[in-house]
Amino acid sequence: MGEVVTGGQRWLRVPVGPEASQWSTRAGTARVLFVVHNVTSATRLLDVLPLFDADPRVQCLATCTGSSPYLHGVPELLADAGLPVLPWEQAVETPVDLAVSASYGGELHLIRGKLAVLSHGIGYNKRLPTPDTGHRTPDTGHRTPDTGHRTPDTGRWEPGSERDAERAPVFGLSPEWLLRDGVPIATTTVLSHPEQLTRLRHACPPAARTAVLAGDPCFDRLLAALPHRDSFRRALGVSAGQRLVVVNSTWGPRSLFGDADDVLPRLLESITRELPVDAYRRCAVLHPNIWHGHGPGQVRAWLRRAEQAGLTVVPPLGPWRQVLAAADAVIGDHGSVTYYAAAIGTPVLLGAFPEADLDPASPVAELGRTAPRLRPYEPLLPQLDELLARHHPDRHAQLTALASSSPGSSAALLRRTFYGLMGLAEPSAPAYLPRLLDPTYGDLPSDIPPASPLLAPLQVLTHLRDHRPAAPPEIAVTRHADGLGAAAHPAPAPSPEPIASPAATPTTSQAPAHTALPTASHPGAHTAVHEDIPDVTRLALADLVLHDSRPEPAAWTREAMRRHRHCAMAACVTAPDTCLVRLPDGRLVTLTAAPGPDDHRDLCDPAVYASALYAWYERGKPVEELLDGLVVVTAGTSHHLQVSITPPR
């Protein structure tokens, strides 16, 4: 795309600009301008971009208003979209047939063409006050008479008593955002449900005349994804018997991630230490404004310890909808993602919910009246058990009904609206929104990172189950990160043949005070530690030293036993279903899980199998008795192992 420097900016010459007709290959196309404010609004625009696919009559363009304080990540997102990007100053000088925005931020009235405005979440719910500074709205980007500064487009305000919030107008439904000089800024205001139209008519009658009901494309893509839930769970590494718990937060100080009530530190501690790592898979989905406001590096630093204990942090452009479709429970707040979770029937526990910040007539306010609340100073695991036990799929049926008046139809309704505004006949092919694909493990910023090895010390509780004749032995294994969960939640009732406490286990006096180590009350306990643990002093606790994906696993196990003479065994995960373990006498034992009844590969962390072997060996049982097979039980699920032994060399 040709560019020219104008006023210090690089303006496009192709496919728009004074000379565009000379240089463009398709010079007579209709122009559709996507107006991006920040990454959050851009994700909704990317939802509807495919509605213009396969139409050579249309040229799509993009611009950024520059009015948001959350501009980090926008250039990369637009580059990935591959559209010509106009500087805002060029965009407002360029005639377009249609502009599509997912926010009222910026100087939208300057756009030279018809404007359609979508919501970038689940409708309009939040109250955002309008400072008395002489400009139209806190989020337009107009230059104020007194300061000349651009105003932010988020509506965040600092004074903030709850009384202030209750007096504030509702963002997206009030004249402060919708009108300029008494005239609607948008040609078309796209709403997803008649309840929004009712509130709009009450709050801003002139803008109500521009309203069109066209459903919710984000919700439709979620609904279409639900039949693929099992596939998503496998792609996310959720094994049989595991529950996927998603922690979700919108932005702002009164969100779950915010510091107004500061619930987050205790919640992270609870999900890290209370939930057995093999019974619960944990993911975090955070609003892009958190990532791009505080910086991705800072956000990951805040979550580092939880990640080391098994929390998967979904990138800001990652497949959060697939994670939501796969979830067993969501701990969230007043953001749209938590509402979407409830609307698709997922149990929701509210960790933060500032009622005063919301329009009491909005659907999200109704979520606050119906969903149970997290009790942050009580143990988390019983609350999750209670949430799941009491949940009924139709519990939030009213919220589902309020999400969209036309579920599954937004593609057709939106395309009809857009093409009608442009004065073009629709393409003959049916309109559709692309299906959400399985989360992938790759190198793109939007990909889910592969499941990281557990880099927190693991206290492992084991017991040997009754050995039935002609059946392979069964060993139950429960692992807790950082050792504290096991103290709060005891192991299953001991079998008739409890496994004795390993002699190599360090005493409590040798360990940091915050680590719960094996004691007489946990006779089948040992400590497993990954060799790459950031705090290397914790390796002194290890009975079992772990690693994964070493190029020469046998050699590594030998060297690890030499480096860590206090440990009894070293184990290396060599494949997603296989672990290689070196015994104290030098023998190597390979443990491989058989496929499940559905022929899918077993997804259990193979390091669990090493802990089962450790327990068997320390009990004094001959390893040769396992050659006919071993059954390891985690989270109520049986994993059938094939066992082979290699003599020492």
Side-chain angles (χ1 to χ4, degrees):
M1 288 171 286
E3 296 177 332
V4 62
V5 177
T6 302
Q9 292 185 322
R10 302 185 71 86
W11 283 33
L12 295 188
R13 299 172 65 192
V14 182
V16 296
E19 304 169 318
S21 60
Q22 178 181 352
W23 303 109
S24 298
T25 302
R26 298 190 64 84
T29 53
R31 296 169 178 172
V32 177
L33 177 67
F34 286 87
V35 182
V36 173
H37 300 80
N38 50 37
V39 169
T40 309
S41 67
T43 56
R44 177 54 55 93
L45 298 180
L46 293 177
D47 276 339
V48 302
L49 177 61
L51 296 178
F52 300 97
D53 281 356
D55 190 345
R57 301 172 299 164
V58 175
Q59 168 70 62
C60 291
L61 310 164
T63 189
C64 179
T65 62
S67 58
S68 172
Y70 301 105
L71 293 178
H72 182 272
V74 171
E76 294 81 2
L77 182 148
L78 293 178
D80 287 343
L83 298 179
V85 179
L86 283 66
W88 177 247
E89 287 73 10
Q90 183 182 11
V92 298
E93 294 291 332
T94 302
V96 296
D97 297 275
L98 173 66
V100 184
S101 174
S103 174
Y104 279 97
E107 298 170 294
L108 299 181
H109 67 285
L110 297 179
I111 290 173
R112 298 176 62 185
K114 294 178 180 178
L115 172 65
V117 178
L118 317 176
S119 164
H120 59 256
I122 189 77
Y124 297 102
N125 306 281
K126 294 182 180 180
R127 291 186 176 277
L128 300 179
T130 306
D132 185 16
T133 57
H135 56 276
R136 177 180 67 84
T137 165
D139 72 343
T140 64
H142 294 165
R143 296 187 180 275
T144 61
D146 50 341
T147 65
H149 293 158
R150 277 195 158 187
T151 56
D153 73 341
T154 64
R156 178 173 179 176
W157 73 100
E158 294 303 332
S161 66
E162 293 195 356
R163 183 175 300 175
D164 292 332
E166 290 169 349
R167 290 197 297 259
V170 177
F171 173 72
L173 295 182
S174 301
E176 291 86 347
W177 288 277
L178 301 177
L179 306 181
R180 176 164 179 94
D181 298 328
V183 178
I185 295 171
T187 312
T188 297
T189 302
V190 178
L191 305 177
S192 60
H193 196 279
E195 69 83 18
Q196 296 163 21
L197 180 56
T198 299
R199 290 189 287 140
L200 180 59
R201 283 173 175 157
H202 176 75
C204 187
R209 293 191 289 271
T210 71
V212 171
L213 292 172
D216 183 329
C218 179
F219 186 58
D220 282 358
R221 296 186 77 192
L222 260 175
L223 292 177
L226 292 181
H228 303 275
R229 168 183 162 85
D230 289 344
S231 179
F232 295 161
R233 288 172 69 84
R234 289 197 60 80
L236 292 166
V238 181
S239 64
Q242 277 189 320
R243 290 171 170 172
L244 173 59
V245 176
V246 176
V247 176
N248 165 246
S249 178
T250 188
W251 67 280
R254 291 198 256 193
S255 68
L256 181 59
F257 205 87
D259 55 6
D261 295 321
D262 221 13
V263 171
L264 183 74
R266 181 169 180 84
L267 177 60
L268 290 177
E269 195 84 356
S270 295
I271 65 172
T272 296
R273 298 188 172 189
E274 284 188 49
L275 306 186
V277 297
D278 301 303
Y280 288 86
R281 185 91 160 83
R282 293 147 291 179
C283 285
V285 174
L286 306 178
H287 194 285
N289 286 359
I290 297 175
W291 289 96
H292 299 301
H294 294 281
Q298 179 61 76
V299 172
R300 288 203 173 273
W302 284 333
L303 298 175
R304 185 95 63 212
R305 188 177 181 193
E307 279 193 282
Q308 292 167 359
L311 178 71
T312 294
V313 182
V314 180
L317 292 178
W320 64 266
R321 283 171 287 208
Q322 292 94 317
V323 172
L324 213 58
D328 292 294
V330 171
I331 303 173
D333 56 18
H334 59 301
S336 293
V337 172
T338 302
Y339 187 99
Y340 281 130
I344 62 173
T346 304
V348 165
L349 195 61
L350 297 177
F353 203 86
E355 290 92 343
D357 292 358
L358 301 169
D359 180 353
S362 68
V364 172
E366 182 63 21
L367 170 66
R369 291 188 286 267
T370 57
R373 304 297 177 96
L374 174 73
R375 302 182 295 276
Y377 297 102
E378 297 181 20
L380 175 62
L381 188 54
Q383 295 184 66
L384 285 175
D385 289 341
E386 179 184 8
L387 175 72
L388 294 166
R390 294 189 176 185
H391 183 74
H392 188 276
D394 294 332
R395 173 169 188 162
H396 298 300
Q398 181 180 3
L399 303 181
T400 305
L402 291 172
S404 172
S405 59
S406 304
S409 300
S410 66
L413 294 171
L414 285 168
R415 193 177 75 173
R416 182 186 311 160
T417 299
F418 294 155
Y419 275 79
L421 290 170
M422 291 190 293
L424 286 180
E426 287 189 70
S428 57
Y432 70 93
L433 300 171
R435 183 175 79 78
L436 297 171
L437 303 179
D438 287 356
T440 56
Y441 294 159
D443 299 325
L444 297 176
S446 59
D447 291 338
I448 287 281
S452 301
L454 293 164
L455 296 181
L458 300 172
Q459 184 173 15
V460 187
L461 308 175
T462 59
H463 73 275
L464 180 66
R465 295 189 169 183
D466 290 335
H467 191 181
R468 299 186 302 275
E474 288 191 11
I475 299 176
V477 180
T478 303
R479 301 188 301 170
H480 286 272
D482 231 24
L484 294 188
H489 303 284
S495 70
E497 294 184 319
I499 299 174
S501 179
T505 300
T507 64
T508 303
S509 61
Q510 294 172 305
H514 62 277
T515 303
L517 292 175
T519 65
S521 62
H522 299 302
H526 64 269
T527 302
V529 183
H530 195 285
E531 193 180 40
D532 286 348
I533 187 171
D535 181 1
V536 296
T537 63
R538 309 298 289 277
L539 278 166
L541 307 173
D543 304 306
L544 173 64
V545 174
L546 304 172
H547 218 301
D548 57 286
S549 303
R550 301 295 296 179
E552 297 178 292
W556 174 84
T557 59
R558 183 187 301 277
E559 294 161 4
M561 294 286 282
R562 184 169 60 250
R563 282 193 294 269
H564 311 290
R565 296 188 180 277
H566 60 280
C567 75
M569 292 182 184
C572 185
V573 174
T574 58
D577 54 4
T578 303
C579 192
L580 182 70
V581 186
R582 186 173 292 275
L583 303 181
D585 60 15
R587 286 180 293 172
L588 288 171
V589 180
T590 302
L591 305 166
T592 302
D598 56 3
D599 294 327
H600 280 299
R601 184 176 61 199
D602 194 302
L603 290 178
C604 181
D605 179 3
V608 171
Y609 310 147
S611 282
L613 179 66
Y614 178 95
W616 179 265
Y617 188 85
E618 287 298 311
R619 177 69 175 82
K621 299 278 191 176
V623 178
E624 289 76 12
E625 292 185 13
L626 303 179
L627 290 174
D628 291 332
L630 170 65
V631 176
V632 176
V633 181
T634 63
T637 300
S638 297
H639 309 276
H640 297 265
L641 306 187
Q642 299 171 351
V643 181
S644 63
I645 304 172
T646 302
R649 290 197 293 256

